[in-house]
């Protein structure tokens, strides 16, 4: 399967997953309000950080070592033993020190944390094996399955009046179902690892854990800090707004997932020219959705947030900053991913460290001064810094350049889309559509997206070629 097709499958799957999540979040926002959602987002942030501690980069190491094609069964066994051991240890500590943990968090949700942590660690283990076994398309397609099951169960539980408990129940069961399916695809080829296999996993993981920490910092550091520093309602507003912005990372993430095992294999054979070609293409299209998303998000912030209810209006003031961070993170992710794939996790470590340190320091300072607006500014600034440093480090190992022409055409198409939206907004005011927030925002977003892609198809011969070459039949 071609990389472009694998990327598209991964993106389409993530898109379906995110679409289900959007619909669910709108319902939960209106039904439960910003405070319950704030506690839920805070809970997921805590679980995410603990899950990171429970894997310590082992998930990335499993993917890397399995993708190399040697001693696969032993590396599967090594990863499982390590992750399971960490998970049990952290869970026992949480339960043993439950009163202290509840006091620190400000809410007694330790049982919820333990359940979601164990499910999350199992999910990470299975996801890592699928990617390492070059089953990226399967890994991608399981994401919407998990989201749809989770969403259906959560909605049903909320209808029964379970509120926060219902959200946790649906999240956990959806994860367990996908773990079971994933294990079927991975197969039963496991073996007890030797010392050398465990050492090899840890050798890669000692740098790769920083990549996982970096991703978690980008997605969750601000929410975790906000959970300690501002009221739950403000966390709910920020979490909803961040979910909107994070949607635009999907395509960049899909590209990274698809090219990692391919670059890893090419790296083993020292095929530097092929690696450079793949990297140039990944950079060229990393911002394919993020660039127009920034333009459209800035222009339509009020209309989009109105869908969630009046309690979330404040999110319109920070959406632009979060979207800007997504644009730079889309490129930064390609740089880090490539360095990891060519077995230079030490260099990826440096990029990730820059994002983590700058993000945490700026968040602490700016949240204290400006609340959720400060958190958004901090996230945007840290991604600009880390992406710039990332490109410098990448150039030391891979001969590549920013494809200015292709990225420039995406920018031009995005501004053309923006001009249409500016003209379309006043025309819809006072119409029947404008009386329904979801229909109003949906119409503007749909028209904007269609305009952008039509303009880009007209402007870019390379983009037309990419579309033709990755159709199922190989062309139009």
């Amino acid at each position: 399967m071609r990389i472009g097709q694998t990327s598209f499958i991964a993106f389409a799957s993530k898109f379906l997953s995110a679409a289900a999540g959007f619909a669910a979040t709108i319902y939960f926002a209106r039904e439960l309000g910003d405070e319950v959602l704030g506690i839920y987002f805070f809970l997921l942030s805590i679980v995410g950080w603990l899950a990171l501690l429970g894997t310590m980069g082992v998930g990335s190491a499993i993917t890397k070592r399995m993708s190399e094609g040697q001693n696969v069964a032993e590396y599967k066994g090594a990863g499982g033993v390590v992750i399971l051991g960490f998970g049990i240890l952290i869970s026992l500590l949480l339960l043993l020190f439950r009163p202290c943990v509840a006091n620190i968090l400000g809410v007694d949700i330790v049982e919820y944390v333990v359940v979601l942590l164990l499910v999350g660690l199992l999910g990470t283990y299975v996801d890592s094996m699928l990617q390492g076994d070059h089953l990226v398309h399967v890994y991608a397609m399981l994401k919407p399955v998990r989201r749809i099951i989770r969403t259906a169960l959560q909605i049903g539980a909320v209808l029964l009046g379970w509120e926060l408990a219902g959200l946790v129940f649906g999240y956990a069961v959806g994860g367990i179902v996908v773990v079971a399916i994933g294990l079927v695809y991975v197969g039963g080829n496991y073996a007890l690892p030797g010392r050398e296999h465990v050492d090899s996993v840890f050798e890669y993981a000692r740098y790769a854990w920083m990549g996982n920490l970096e991703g978690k910092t980008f997605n969750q550091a601000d929410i975790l800090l906000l959970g300690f520093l501002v009221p739950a309602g403000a966390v709910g507003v920020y979490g909803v707004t961040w979910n909107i912005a994070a949607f635009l990372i999907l395509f960049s993430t899909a590209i990274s997932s698809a090219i990692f095992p391919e670059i890893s294999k090419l790296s083993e054979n020292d095929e530097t020219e092929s690696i450079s070609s793949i990297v140039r293409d990944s950079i060229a299209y990393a911002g394919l959705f993020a660039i127009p998303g920034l333009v459209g998000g800035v222009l339509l912030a009020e209309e989009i947030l109105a869908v969630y209810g009046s309690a979330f209006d404040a999110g319109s003031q920070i959406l632009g900053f979060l979207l800007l961070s997504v644009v730079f993170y889309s490129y930064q992710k390609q740089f880090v991913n490539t360095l990891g794939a060519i077995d230079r996790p030490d260099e990826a470590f440096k990029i990730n460290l820059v994002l983590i340190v700058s993000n945490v320091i700026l968040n602490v300072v700016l949240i204290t001064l400006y609340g959720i607006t400060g958190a958004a500014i901090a996230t945007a600034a840290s991604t600009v810094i880390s992406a710039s440093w990332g490109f410098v480090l990448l150039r030391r190992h891979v001969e590549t350049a920013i494809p200015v022409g292709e990225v420039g055409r995406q920018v031009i198409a995005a501004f053309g889309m923006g001009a249409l939206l500016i003209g379309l907004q006043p025309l819809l005011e006072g119409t029947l559509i404008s009386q329904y927030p979801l229909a109003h925002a949906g119409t503007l977003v749909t028209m904007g997206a269609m305009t952008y892609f039509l303009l880009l198809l007209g402007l870019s011969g390379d983009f037309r070629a990419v579309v033709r070459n990755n159709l199922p039949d190989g062309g139009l």
Side-chain angles (χ1 to χ4, degrees):
M1 182 174 288
R2 291 187 290 271
I3 291 176
Q5 291 179 346
T6 303
S7 297
F8 178 76
I9 290 173
F11 169 70
S13 300
K14 290 175 183 290
F15 180 87
L16 291 174
S17 176
F22 268 126
T25 303
I26 292 171
Y27 171 73
F28 298 143
R30 292 181 172 274
E31 187 71 21
L32 302 176
D34 55 350
E35 186 170 346
V36 173
L37 271 188
I39 296 173
Y40 178 61
F41 289 138
F42 185 41
L43 168 63
L44 294 184
S45 180
I46 294 166
V47 170
W49 284 97
L50 290 175
L52 177 63
L53 181 63
T55 57
M56 297 295 290
V58 173
S60 298
I62 295 170
T63 298
K64 171 59 179 173
R65 297 308 181 215
M66 285 182 61
S67 69
E68 294 170 353
Q70 299 179 2
N71 301 314
V72 172
E74 286 78 6
Y75 284 123
K76 287 162 66 175
V81 169
V82 173
I83 290 177
L84 180 62
F86 279 141
I88 292 174
L89 176 61
I90 295 171
S91 298
L92 289 175
L93 289 174
L94 286 171
L95 293 172
L96 183 62
F97 296 100
R98 173 175 175 170
C100 181
V101 173
N103 184 55
I104 293 173
L105 299 180
V107 58
D108 189 1
I109 51 176
V110 174
E111 292 96 339
Y112 294 160
V113 172
V114 170
V115 170
L116 295 186
L117 171 64
L118 293 176
V119 173
L121 290 176
L122 284 173
T124 298
Y125 176 50
V126 174
D127 288 348
S128 300
M129 290 193 293
L130 286 170
Q131 293 176 82
D133 210 18
H134 298 270
L135 296 172
V136 175
H137 56 295
V138 176
Y139 155 75
M141 288 187 290
L142 287 178
K143 283 189 173 294
V145 173
R146 175 167 46 207
R147 174 71 76 162
I148 291 170
I149 293 173
R150 176 200 306 172
T151 299
L153 291 172
Q154 286 179 327
I155 291 175
V158 169
L159 286 172
L160 292 174
W162 292 6
E163 296 191 344
L164 181 61
L167 297 179
V168 173
F169 168 77
Y171 197 102
V173 174
I176 291 171
V177 171
V178 168
V179 164
I181 298 173
L183 287 173
V184 171
Y185 277 97
V186 170
N189 185 22
Y190 296 83
L192 287 175
R195 176 65 180 271
E196 67 276 13
H197 303 111
V198 176
D199 287 346
S200 179
V201 166
F202 275 115
E203 177 66 24
Y204 189 88
R206 67 178 179 142
Y207 291 111
W209 72 269
M210 183 62 78
N212 296 335
L213 179 60
E214 174 265 353
K216 192 58 62 181
T217 300
F218 177 66
N219 286 288
Q220 298 285 353
D222 40 12
I223 292 178
L224 183 67
L225 291 169
L226 285 168
F228 289 111
L229 298 173
V230 303
V235 179
V237 171
Y238 191 90
V240 164
T241 309
W242 180 235
N243 280 346
I244 295 170
F247 175 79
L248 298 173
I249 305 174
L250 297 181
F251 191 68
S252 176
T253 302
I255 293 175
S256 298
S257 298
I259 70 173
F260 184 96
E262 303 305 323
I263 293 179
S264 177
K265 182 179 290 186
L266 292 171
S267 177
E268 287 293 303
N269 299 322
D270 294 323
E271 298 183 40
T272 55
E273 290 187 8
S274 296
I275 291 174
S276 295
S277 176
I278 292 175
V279 173
R280 281 194 297 271
D281 288 342
S282 75
I283 296 173
Y285 295 103
L288 182 65
F289 287 78
I291 291 172
L294 172 60
V295 175
V298 169
L299 295 174
L300 303 179
E302 292 184 3
E303 287 84 351
I304 294 171
L305 268 299
V307 174
Y308 295 86
S310 59
F312 298 88
D313 289 345
S316 63
Q317 301 171 15
I318 64 173
L319 182 57
F321 291 113
L322 294 178
L323 289 169
L324 179 63
S325 71
V326 164
V327 171
F328 280 91
Y329 188 72
S330 295
Y331 294 104
Q332 188 256 36
K333 192 167 184 65
Q334 305 310 314
F335 308 153
V336 171
N337 184 69
T338 299
L339 288 168
I342 63 174
D343 213 8
R344 292 307 306 262
D346 53 326
E347 295 287 58
F349 180 98
K350 297 174 185 177
I351 304 170
N352 295 329
L353 184 62
V354 168
L355 185 141
I356 292 165
V357 173
S358 61
N359 189 288
V360 171
I361 292 175
L362 289 172
N363 261 295
V364 171
V365 173
L366 296 179
I367 289 174
T368 303
L369 294 173
Y370 305 112
I372 61 174
T373 301
I377 295 172
T379 299
S382 63
T383 52
V384 172
I385 295 169
S386 64
S388 302
W389 177 234
F391 184 65
V392 171
L393 292 185
L394 177 66
R395 287 289 301 274
R396 295 178 182 177
H397 303 281
V398 178
E399 184 178 343
T400 190
I402 298 292
V404 176
E406 193 59 38
V407 174
R409 284 185 280 273
Q410 292 167 20
V411 172
I412 292 171
F415 276 106
M417 174 200 73
L420 172 78
L421 292 176
I422 291 173
L424 190 60
Q425 282 176 296
L427 294 179
L428 291 180
E429 291 181 4
T431 64
L432 181 62
I433 290 177
S434 66
Q435 298 176 26
Y436 300 94
L438 182 58
H440 188 200
T443 299
L444 290 169
V445 170
T446 301
M447 292 297 295
M450 291 175 59
T451 301
Y452 169 74
F453 282 106
L454 287 174
L455 286 173
L456 188 59
L457 281 169
L459 290 169
S460 175
D462 287 344
F463 183 59
R464 290 195 300 273
V466 167
V467 173
R468 282 196 304 268
N469 293 337
N470 287 286
L471 289 173
D473 62 353
L476 291 173

